[in-house]
Amino acid sequence: MQQLNVVWFRNDLRAYDNAVLDSAVEHSTRNGSPLVALFIATPDSWQQHDMALIKQDLIRRRVMQLKTELAVLNIPLIAVEGNDYKQVGEVFVQLVKHYKLSVFVQREYELREQLRDKQVETILVDSGGQYIEFDTQCIMPPGSVRTQQGDIYKVFTPFKRNWLAALKQHGVRCYPKPKPLAINTIVLPEFDEMQSGDNSSAAWSVDEVEVLGKMRQFCQEKVGAYHTARDFPAIDGTSLLSAYLAIGVISPAQCVARLQIEAKDSWQSDKSGAEIWLSELIWREFYKHILVAYPNLIKHKPFQSETDGIRWSNNEALFKAWCEGQTGFPIVDAAMRQLNKTGWMHNRLRMITASFLVKDLHIDWRWGERYFMSKLIDGDFAANNGGWQWAASTGTDAAPYFRIFNPVSQSEKFDPQGEFIRLYVPELSKLQGKAIHWPHSLGGVKSYFSPVVDHATARKHTLEIFAEVKKSA
Ligand SMILES: Cc1cc2nc3c(=O)[nH]c(=O)nc-3n(C[C@H](O)[C@H](O)[C@H](O)COP(=O)(O)OP(=O)(O)OC[C@H]3O[C@@H](n4cnc5c(N)ncnc54)[C@H](O)[C@@H]3O)c2cc1C
């Protein structure tokens, strides 16, 4: 049977700095065997994971673009329209009937993905093929950063210290885009061709070189001020790269390598813009390390197990008001409307809205986690779960439960002129001065919502809930 090498693309949709692609090309060149790229769309499984339609569209658009980028390297990309992960196995069953396969993949950490991959590995091995996996979602693979006792870090700061020590020791390596292969013709079984999406992500470029350019521009022009600008949602002060990192259009190694070039040594200066941006990339890795070490998190269990005993109020009407940006708290409503309208939300606002859902509305953090996932273009299980558990004070290295964001003072501090609120809550656009943060003291604005809760009362109740659960633990 003829040997065929397959790069199975999932969350690593790029041609530059792709160790998986690089190895597959190297293998093909060495053996003189053909190479194809494969992508299988699985909308039913995506829906089961609450993946936002805008993220699904970004993936579909990116795969089509990758197809043209790989064609230049003489690597045909077969984009298959499937339905769920079960059907992924069937694609490989079809392929092993005709070829002896070596399949190259990037490791995924979530539960159903691991089951899917195990199934594919079995199909390949049983048919005399190979499944070759690369752990390249992070610069430091999960499990590689440990305490002196060999344990996984549960707290970010020492994790970061050790992560940086490893970076200094090993440096960061990026793979170039592979050279074109010799043309070869391969006859593959017929599969349903991947359909295009709803174009809802059209505002986001899917051209790899353009995305790399955005990252370079951020490192050249904005990272220096990141430490001061990053908390203000009205300022375009963050990189806006999360959607690309989530589906692997760019890699974290590319970000760090570019940061080291553009910011010179300042990434090593405590609290500089470059150092803080690097910290955010380390947070991304921290949550992936935690997820792998504690697979219960994938089952939506809280890290601090005693908090599973909290009986949340879970008031559906309040949840709906939160989802739709109708809580009467201007910064919360502006943030939720930004999410609903654009598929993205600023980090400061993710913290404010998450805290509000859990600690003001007393709704289970998992409801919010799920809603975010269903709307975010950058939805990433580890980061989203980590962020929610941080805000809900249920996770590793979480905010202490008595730290409860006051949505009005957060608004005054981080949107002082109300510019962001005006953008998404037009009902309040005519208000001047501080009133925009709390319009209700003026007797309210007719067209705007009344506050759904009293913050001081809700805060007191949160403290009681947590004190109770901590006591019984
Ligand atoms: C409740 C909550 C939910 C979140 N859900 C997600 C999610 O689903 N996907 C996601 O990518 N991020 C999530 N974050 C983290 C963060 O809000 C976003 O990564 C960030 O807002 C993306 O904007 P940016 O690309 O401009 O980030 P930048 O500020 O430019 O940061 C650079 C990169 O670092 C990573 N990063 C930054 N902050 C964090 C963080 N706190 N945790 C993990 N990684 C981080 C992202 O990959 C980001 O693109 C969440 C945070 C909270 C509080």
Side-chain angles (χ1 to χ4, degrees):
M1 211 181 265
Q2 194 190 350
Q3 167 75 35
L4 176 66
N5 306 309
V6 178
V7 191
W8 177 18
F9 280 96
R10 293 100 66 95
N11 281 331
D12 55 343
L13 299 173
R14 64 181 178 277
Y16 287 92
D17 189 36
N18 190 329
V20 182
L21 177 65
D22 193 79
S23 291
V25 166
E26 209 257 330
H27 190 81
S28 245
T29 314
R30 200 163 9 96
N31 295 353
S33 46
L35 173 67
V36 296
L38 176 69
F39 180 83
I40 308 168
T42 48
D44 293 354
S45 293
W46 293 345
Q47 203 183 334
Q48 259 182 10
H49 289 73
D50 304 308
M51 189 196 285
L53 287 175
I54 192 170
K55 184 179 171 190
Q56 297 190 26
D57 182 58
L58 186 77
I59 293 173
R60 288 179 186 275
R61 287 177 52 238
R62 175 60 200 144
V63 169
M64 292 320 290
Q65 177 70 23
L66 184 61
K67 188 175 178 137
T68 54
E69 289 163 7
L70 292 178
V72 179
L73 305 179
N74 295 325
I75 303 172
L77 188 148
I78 323 296
V80 180
E81 185 68 39
N83 42 45
D84 57 16
Y85 286 169
K86 245 203 242 141
Q87 210 204 353
V88 167
E90 287 162 24
V91 171
F92 285 96
V93 168
Q94 286 305 314
L95 288 172
V96 297
K97 282 187 190 156
H98 304 272
Y99 292 99
K100 187 170 160 212
L101 296 188
S102 291
V103 176
F104 295 74
V105 294
Q106 171 176 266
R107 180 178 170 205
E108 294 201 348
Y109 307 130
E110 293 84 359
L111 213 59
R112 290 199 193 103
E113 284 71 7
Q114 285 184 24
L115 290 173
R116 172 199 65 193
D117 293 351
K118 205 78 231 137
Q119 186 202 8
V120 170
E121 184 176 4
T122 307
I123 294 166
L124 295 174
V125 173
D126 287 354
S127 61
Q130 282 179 290
Y131 181 83
I132 305 152
E133 195 175 62
F134 295 77
D135 205 347
T136 44
Q137 283 197 46
C138 297
I139 296 175
M140 309 296 163
S144 66
V145 182
R146 290 178 181 268
T147 65
Q148 281 187 341
Q149 289 70 40
D151 298 328
I152 288 291
Y153 285 103
K154 294 179 195 156
V155 176
F156 177 71
T157 308
F159 172 86
K160 174 182 161 185
R161 205 177 302 125
N162 204 335
W163 191 100
L164 283 170
L167 178 73
K168 283 176 193 159
Q169 193 184 347
H170 305 297
V172 62
R173 175 181 181 194
C174 293
Y175 293 81
K177 189 174 181 172
K179 299 232 160 23
L181 284 169
I183 297 175
N184 50 57
T185 37
I186 310 135
V187 183
L188 288 178
E190 291 266 312
F191 294 110
D192 287 346
E193 209 173 307
M194 189 187 77
Q195 292 160 15
S196 47
D198 56 10
N199 218 24
S200 52
S201 69
W204 297 75
S205 168
V206 286
D207 182 296
E208 185 168 351
V209 172
E210 215 172 299
V211 174
L212 282 169
K214 280 180 197 294
M215 187 264 284
R216 187 183 315 114
Q217 194 181 9
F218 174 79
C219 290
Q220 285 169 344
E221 295 171 12
K222 291 200 171 160
V223 85
Y226 180 74
H227 57 310
T228 49
R230 71 182 181 127
D231 267 321
F232 296 87
I235 298 177
D236 187 13
T238 69
S239 69
L240 290 172
L241 291 171
S242 49
Y244 299 121
L245 282 160
I247 64 167
V249 184
I250 55 169
S251 73
Q254 288 172 317
C255 294
V256 172
R258 179 52 60 186
L259 181 72
Q260 290 181 328
I261 294 168
E262 304 297 344
K264 309 275 179 318
D265 278 343
S266 75
W267 64 273
Q268 302 196 60
S269 318
D270 205 22
K271 306 264 181 292
S272 68
E275 192 263 347
I276 293 182
W277 194 60
L278 178 58
S279 275
E280 297 307 324
L281 292 166
I282 305 174
W283 270 107
R284 176 184 171 278
E285 306 229 335
F286 176 66
Y287 285 137
K288 289 194 190 288
H289 285 226
I290 291 285
L291 192 72
V292 172
Y294 299 95
N296 254 351
L297 295 177
I298 304 171
K299 298 178 189 158
H300 301 277
K301 289 285 173 201
F303 191 82
Q304 294 178 30
S305 51
E306 75 277 9
T307 61
D308 220 5
I310 295 178
R311 264 191 258 121
W312 304 102
S313 310
N314 292 344
N315 179 313
E316 305 236 4
L318 289 180
F319 182 60
K320 188 164 179 280
W322 178 82
C323 293
E324 292 176 4
Q326 300 180 349
T327 66
F329 286 74
I331 194 73
V332 172
D333 293 344
M336 294 307 293
R337 293 182 198 185
Q338 178 185 40
L339 176 66
N340 293 334
K341 197 167 170 187
T342 70
W344 188 83
M345 192 199 281
H346 188 278
N347 182 58
R348 171 58 50 182
L349 303 175
R350 295 188 203 206
M351 294 195 286
I352 296 173
T353 52
S355 172
F356 187 80
L357 183 80
V358 177
K359 292 175 177 170
D360 282 81
L361 304 186
H362 309 121
I363 289 175
D364 192 327
W365 56 272
R366 286 163 282 218
W367 289 30
E369 180 194 18
R370 194 166 174 204
Y371 187 75
F372 265 31
M373 208 61 183
S374 73
K375 294 286 170 186
L376 282 171
I377 190 164
D378 64 15
D380 170 86
F381 188 93
N384 195 38
N385 183 272
W388 273 96
Q389 294 224 41
W390 181 89
S393 307
T394 63
T396 62
D397 209 13
Y401 74 84
F402 44 82
R403 195 176 295 154
I404 298 171
F405 280 20
N406 178 324
V408 179
S409 44
Q410 286 284 313
S411 181
E412 289 171 351
K413 192 165 172 194
F414 297 113
D415 188 27
Q417 310 307 322
E419 286 162 276
F420 182 79
I421 293 175
R422 275 189 196 91
L423 218 54
Y424 287 98
V425 188
E427 304 96 290
L428 304 179
S429 61
K430 295 214 168 68
L431 291 186
Q432 300 296 320
K434 277 193 156 196
I436 194 145
H437 304 290
W438 191 248
H440 311 292
S441 43
L442 298 173
V445 171
K446 251 203 185 140
S447 55
Y448 185 54
F449 299 89
S450 301
V452 290
V453 283
D454 172 58
H455 173 69
T457 315
R459 182 178 184 282
K460 200 161 154 275
H461 185 46
T462 300
L463 293 174
E464 287 162 3
I465 295 174
F466 274 91
E468 178 97 348
V469 83
K470 295 279 170 193
K471 201 167 76 195
S472 52

